[in-house]
C-alpha cells in the first residue's frame, strides 16, 4: 500500500512518522530501523524521543556514510547518528551500524558486501526512514543508480555537495566527493518505507518520485515498486503533485480499521 499523507507542518509529519515507528517497535521490541540523516528526519527523532519509549533493544542501520572524513568528524554520519538519534532516543550504541565503519582505502571495496551481510544477519530492516534530495536521491543513490543496486561506493553530485555544504561551514570543497550508501535494491528489501520531505525545494523531486515514471534518473521513484510505503510531506513539498486532492481525501476518509 502506498499512502501519501500531506501534513500541515514538519512537526505534524514527524509525529505521524514517530507513531508508525512506535507501532513497529510495540510489535517487535528489537525491531530493525533504517536510519536517515540530514535535516528532514529531525522532527521524527524529536517526536519519537517525546514518546519516551524503551528503545534499548532496537537495532539500527544508517543509510549512508561519507568517505574520507577523519574518524570522529562531527559531520560524519556516525557522529550525526550518535548525536541526533542514538543519544536522544536511548538506543544502544553497539546495536547501531553505519556503512564502512573503520574502513579506508582498498578495504572499502568490500564494505558494501559486509554491510549487506550485517543487515541480512539482523533479519532485514523492518522500517526504513528516508529523506529525498533535490536530485531525487534516497540514501546517496544519485541519478543513474541501478534500481537493483546494493550497498556500494558512490560519487556525490555537485548539487548534493552544494546542498550539504551548510554542514561544512558553507565550503563545498570540504564536502567529501565519495560515500558508501545502501543501494536502491537494499532499500526495497525493507519491510516498510517512510519517505519524508518538507519545503518547496523538494516539490519537484517529490512529484517526480511519486507520480513520475520509475526511472534511475529519479532514484526515489523506485519506491513505487514497494508494497508498503508512506510518503509524509508538508504542503510546500506537495505543491507539484497532480493528485494531491485525491491523496488528502484518501487519508481523511480512510476506514477506522486502517487508522
Ligand atoms: P536533507 O537531505 O534532509 O538535509 O534535506 C535529504 C537528503 O539529501 O536525502
Amino acid at each position: 500500500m502506498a499512502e501519501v499523507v500531506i501534513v500541515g507542518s514538519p512537526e505534524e509529519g514527524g509525529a505521524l512518522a514517530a507513531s508508525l515507528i512506535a507501532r513497529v517497535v510495540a510489535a517487535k521490541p528489537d525491531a530493525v530501523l533504517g536510519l536517515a540523516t540530514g535535516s528532514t528526519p529531525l522532527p521524527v527523532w524529536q517526536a519519537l524521543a517525546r514518546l519516551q519509549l524503551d528503545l534499548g533493544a532496537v537495532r539500527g542501520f544508517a543509510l549512508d556514510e561519507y568517505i574520507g572524513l577523519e574518524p570522529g568528524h562531527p559531520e560524519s554520519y556516525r557522529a550525526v547518528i550518535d548525536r541526533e538519534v542514538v543519544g536522544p532516543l536511548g538506543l544502544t550504541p553497539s546495536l547501531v551500524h553505519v556503512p564502512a565503519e573503520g574502513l579506508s582505502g582498498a578495504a572499502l571495496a568490500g564494505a558494501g558486501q559486509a554491510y549487506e551481510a550485517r543487515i541480512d544477519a539482523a533479519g532485514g530492516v523492518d522500517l526504513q526512514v528516508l529523506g529525498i534530495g533535490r536530485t531525487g536521491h534516497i540514501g546517496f543513490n544519485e541519478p543513474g543508480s541501478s534500481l537493483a543496486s546494493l550497498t556500494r561506493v558512490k560519487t556525490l553530485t555537485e548539487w548534493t555537495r552544494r546542498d550539504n555544504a551548510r554542514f561544512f561551514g558553507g565550503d563545498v570543497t570540504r564536502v567529501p566527493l565519495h560515500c558508501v550508501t545502501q543501494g536502491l535494491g537494499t532499500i526495497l528489501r525493507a519491510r516498510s518505507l517512510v519517505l519524508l520531505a518538507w519545503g518547496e525545494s523538494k516539490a519537484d523531486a517529490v512529484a517526480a518520485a511519486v507520480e513520475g515514471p520509475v526511472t534511475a534518473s529519479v532514484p526515489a521513484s523506485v519506491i513505487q515498486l514497494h508494497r508498503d510505503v508512506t510518503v509524509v510531506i508538508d504542503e510546500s513539498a506537495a505543491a507539484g503533485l497532480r493528485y494531491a486532492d485525491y491523496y488528502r481525501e484518501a487519508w481523511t476518509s480512510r476506514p477506522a480499521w486502517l487508522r
Side-chain angles (χ1 to χ4, degrees), residues 112-163:
Q113 225 177 345
Y115 203 59
E116 292 288 332
R118 223 167 187 174
I119 294 173
D120 285 348
V125 172
D126 291 301
L127 185 150
Q128 175 67 56
V129 176
L130 298 168
I132 179 170
R134 288 194 299 155
T135 59
H137 72 205
I138 49 177
F140 272 146
N141 295 280
E142 298 283 29
S145 292
S146 160
L147 299 178
S149 50
L150 300 178
T151 307
R152 73 238 182 271
V153 173
K154 286 291 286 182
T155 308
L156 295 173
T157 59
E158 178 76 13
W159 294 290
T160 295
R161 293 176 69 223
R162 288 193 183 284
D163 282 346

Side-chain angles (χ1 to χ4, degrees), residues 36-41 63-64 77 130-134 137-140 160 163-164 166-167 196 198 201-202:
T37 46
S39 318
T40 305
L63 271 173
D64 43 21
Y77 284 169
L130 298 168
I132 179 170
R134 288 194 299 155
H137 72 205
I138 49 177
F140 272 146
T160 295
D163 282 346
N164 287 4
R166 66 189 195 279
F167 299 116
L196 311 155
W198 329 122
S201 68
K202 301 293 176 71

Side-chain angles (χ1 to χ4, degrees), residues 66-243:
Y66 292 115
I67 291 177
L69 296 178
E70 66 270 20
H73 190 292
E75 294 306 329
S76 70
Y77 284 169
R78 162 51 77 185
V80 172
I81 291 264
D82 283 348
R83 188 167 69 231
E84 295 175 353
V85 188
V86 173
L89 297 185
L91 301 186
T92 302
S94 61
L95 299 181
V96 177
H97 307 287
V98 173
E101 193 145 38
L103 300 180
S104 60
L108 286 165
Q113 225 177 345
Y115 203 59
E116 292 288 332
R118 223 167 187 174
I119 294 173
D120 285 348
V125 172
D126 291 301
L127 185 150
Q128 175 67 56
V129 176
L130 298 168
I132 179 170
R134 288 194 299 155
T135 59
H137 72 205
I138 49 177
F140 272 146
N141 295 280
E142 298 283 29
S145 292
S146 160
L147 299 178
S149 50
L150 300 178
T151 307
R152 73 238 182 271
V153 173
K154 286 291 286 182
T155 308
L156 295 173
T157 59
E158 178 76 13
W159 294 290
T160 295
R161 293 176 69 223
R162 288 193 183 284
D163 282 346
N164 287 4
R166 66 189 195 279
F167 299 116
F168 292 85
D171 181 357
V172 69
T173 66
R174 288 171 52 206
V175 183
L177 181 57
H178 294 106
C179 63
V180 178
T181 180
Q182 287 191 29
L184 297 173
T186 317
I187 291 168
L188 284 182
R189 286 182 190 164
R191 283 181 270 280
S192 60
L193 305 179
V194 179
L195 184 141
L196 311 155
W198 329 122
E200 62 184 345
S201 68
K202 301 293 176 71
D204 289 346
V206 167
V210 173
E211 296 182 341
V214 175
T215 166
S217 296
V218 182
S221 65
V222 80
I223 67 167
Q224 295 176 40
L225 298 174
H226 199 284
R227 279 185 203 99
D228 186 346
V229 187
T230 309
V231 176
V232 182
I233 51 182
D234 67 3
E235 292 285 349
S236 315
L241 290 173
R242 188 166 162 200
Y243 298 110

